[in-house]
Amino acid sequence: MPELPEVETYRRFINETCLHQPIAEVTVQDPRRQLQLDLDEFRQALIGSQFTGTERLGKQLFLLTDRSTIVTLHFGMTGDVAYYRDETDTPRFARAVFRFQNSFHFAFVDSRKFGRLGLTESVAEFKQRKKLGPDALTLTTEELTQGLAKKKSAIKPLLLDQRIAPGIGNWIADEVLFQARLHPERPAPTLTPAEVERLAAATRQVLETAVRAEAIYRDFPAHYLIHAREWDTAPASETGQTHLNCPCCQTLIQKKYVGGRATYYCPNCQVV
DNA sequence: CAGATTGTTAGGAG
DNA sequence: ACTCCTAACAATCT
């Protein structure tokens, strides 16, 4: 689930829990898969150091330390964070655990092991190496126009391209397109400047709303498409409420695969 | 139990 | 060399 709003929420959580406390031990359950460097190097770089602050770019999280090294965290599809004192409270699927000298623990939790941990010298270096574009939370019309230049494909896969506006994931992409009233398969070259501007504005607005709601989807505004996604119908059906219709025009929400990802849209509000 | 799943990336086709 | 698309990755949930 971790798209930009979740990662931003994790960042704030870490800021409130993990800073300025010497690290006593670091364990990684499956370093060959999830750690991008040797486990001993990782431990030596961090044991005895403290986290001093955090940064975020798209879905990538950076933990600054009082040394010249920065921890990089990517949460994959199922990454989460946890902070607890007793080892007996270690969450299921804790894949990496930082124990602080005050005996509290910070855990990188990730059932599916798609997440990654690594080290970098600087955020700028990391951004360049990964070719990440400008953060989607503050995406300007100019940045989006630049990012879409010479692109030929459908707009939705481009919104998911982290080199254009990192932070947008599959669900947010659908929400942004719905709010901008654009069909997910619109070819990027056919977008008018006004539509690109609408898309950039919707991106900022959806992400700001999601961050404000701390990525808790049921707290999103009622006119959001996200309530119509299938996964929302399970809990909703228990209360007798389903939201499979467009919150704007009541048309049945369609599902199809665009760029290999499940895509939800309103065939009435979002015309190609 | 078959089929779905959030993100990223390698590999192939063009 | 670049763009675009697909499939694979691991594990879990429904």
Side-chain angles (χ1 to χ4, degrees), chain A residues 30-49:
Chain A
D30 189 354
R32 272 167 52 95
R33 181 159 303 281
Q34 298 200 271
L35 190 62
Q36 293 167 321
L37 70 158
D38 186 76
L39 178 57
D40 284 334
E41 281 178 48
F42 190 64
R43 291 177 65 247
Q44 280 172 28
L46 294 173
I47 291 174
S49 75

Side-chain angles (χ1 to χ4, degrees), chain A residues 227 232-245:
Chain A
H227 302 295
D232 202 27
T233 64
S237 60
E238 290 169 18
T239 61
Q241 296 174 323
T242 51
H243 311 269
L244 290 169
N245 299 82

